[in-house]
Amino acid sequence: MDPFTLRDALDIALAALLLFYIYRIMRESGTINIFYGLLAFIVVWVVASQILEMKLIGTILDKFMSIGLLIIVILFQDQIKRFLVELGDHKRWRFLRNLFHHRNPAEDADERGRRLIIPIVYACMNMAKSKTGALIVIQQNVPLENYERSGDIIDALPNSRLIENIFFKNSPLHDGALIVADDRLKSAGCILPVSHDRNVPRALGLRHRSALGISQATDAIAIVVSEETGGISIAHKGRLTTRLSSADLEHNLTQILHQL
Ligand SMILES: Nc1ncnc2c1ncn2[C@@H]1O[C@H](COP(=O)(O)OP(=O)(O)OP(=O)(O)O)[C@@H](O)[C@H]1O
């Protein structure tokens, strides 16, 4: 048997680091069950096929390993998409950008708050009071052009009265989602993918499900004002948080958007 060298230690440390990093990203993107499932499968495969050298189960598991990747991609398309969105999130690689590009994050954050967050929060607060249903999606790193094209292009600066006007019941654009991209109101009346998540409370309908759907398919933030209750909710990274006050909404948006 070869002696245990420094290279082996480094090998193990790197593999452990890689597994830990994948585990963390999968946990954040809500795909952790797949991680556990794959880990269990790999452990069984290594023990049965490689260590105990069991022929029959080893052959079956070997076959699974060779076509496993394909099966996983087919079965878990949505989760893989979410995992890759999380992996490619430029917040993770921000330290690289900061090496070459010096910005003042506090100033950027204040400016963004004034330009974008305050008009949205103010509009949501008013729409919640009047129980006007609304669905607003804020693009982050993943482009939403495909969804923008399903609605009508507006391309206007954020303005609370304009937002309220869009969702006013008799407005031709009130049905569907308003997409905000590059800090502009890009398109209204957009159709979003609907989430099939079974954990969503039954009382919540398609508006909330489509907010969750877009947050599962991309890294966007979706804000819902319920027509029924006036309640404000946020969907981000496949998680729906309901019953937010306008102060909670402002706090959540500030936190998420300022991490950019
Ligand atoms: N796929 C979709 N993409 C964008 N908007 C959608 C989509 N599906 C439904 N909507 C919007 O949601 C509205 C229907 O909301 P519904 O009552 O089913 O949802 P809800 O979650 O119960 O919300 P509310 O509490 O406001 O009633 C539609 O009129 C439309 O504006």
Side-chain angles (χ1 to χ4, degrees):
M1 205 169 139
D2 295 336
F4 189 80
T5 62
L6 188 65
R7 200 177 56 183
D8 297 324
L10 196 66
D11 191 15
I12 292 171
L14 283 177
L17 200 70
L18 181 74
L19 274 180
F20 173 70
Y21 196 64
I22 293 175
Y23 165 81
R24 227 180 55 183
I25 296 177
M26 292 185 102
R27 199 184 55 193
E28 284 171 18
S29 57
T31 52
I32 194 63
N33 285 344
I34 300 175
F35 178 86
Y36 291 138
L38 286 178
L39 204 62
F41 184 82
I42 290 171
V43 168
V44 172
W45 176 67
V46 168
V47 172
S49 173
Q50 311 292 314
I51 299 176
L52 300 178
E53 294 179 4
M54 294 172 161
K55 286 214 174 79
L56 188 58
I57 191 75
T59 314
I60 295 171
L61 292 180
D62 281 349
K63 285 271 180 291
F64 263 113
M65 282 303 274
S66 53
I67 56 163
L69 194 64
L70 193 64
I71 295 175
I72 287 168
V73 171
I74 294 169
L75 286 181
F76 300 109
Q77 292 177 48
D78 288 345
Q79 287 87 343
I80 289 172
K81 222 188 304 174
R82 229 183 309 155
F83 170 70
L84 291 176
V85 164
E86 195 62 43
L87 183 66
D89 188 341
H90 77 215
K91 277 175 255 163
R92 290 189 182 284
W93 311 104
R94 189 169 35 181
F95 69 96
L96 280 179
R97 187 185 58 181
N98 290 346
L99 285 180
F100 305 104
H101 181 47
H102 295 286
R103 294 170 38 188
N104 183 342
E107 270 176 29
D108 285 359
D110 283 352
E111 174 58 19
R112 203 143 192 239
R114 264 196 303 277
R115 225 174 30 221
L116 182 68
I117 299 177
I118 291 179
I120 291 178
V121 171
Y122 195 69
C124 288
M125 193 174 77
N126 287 337
M127 293 189 290
K129 272 190 208 145
S130 60
K131 295 197 178 169
T132 305
L135 175 54
I136 303 171
V137 178
I138 307 174
Q139 172 185 294
Q140 297 221 73
N141 301 314
V142 178
L144 300 176
E145 275 153 21
N146 280 344
Y147 304 108
E148 282 168 26
R149 277 198 282 271
S150 65
D152 290 287
I153 301 295
I154 307 172
D155 200 19
L157 284 170
N159 168 328
S160 60
R161 289 215 287 198
L162 178 56
I163 298 174
E164 286 173 55
N165 221 294
I166 289 168
F167 290 109
F168 183 66
K169 255 190 199 116
N170 294 329
S171 150
L173 293 179
H174 83 281
D175 229 4
L178 166 66
I179 294 185
V180 180
D182 305 321
D183 293 357
R184 291 180 73 84
L185 309 182
K186 273 282 152 85
S187 184
C190 305
I191 299 167
L192 306 179
V194 174
S195 166
H196 297 277
D197 194 328
R198 293 206 197 122
N199 299 322
V200 177
R202 284 197 174 273
L204 303 179
L206 287 177
R207 207 189 307 271
H208 291 83
R209 281 195 170 272
S210 48
L212 195 60
I214 193 77
S215 81
Q216 288 169 336
T218 71
D219 60 349
I221 308 161
I223 306 159
V224 183
V225 179
S226 164
E227 193 174 9
E228 232 163 90
T229 63
I232 300 175
S233 312
I234 273 192
H236 184 229
K237 291 186 176 175
R239 271 183 226 118
L240 185 72
T241 314
T242 54
R243 296 186 199 178
L244 297 172
S245 65
S246 46
D248 294 335
L249 176 65
E250 182 179 352
H251 177 76
N252 279 318
L253 287 181
T254 309
Q255 282 227 314
I256 299 168
L257 292 173
H258 289 179
Q259 282 164 10
L260 280 179

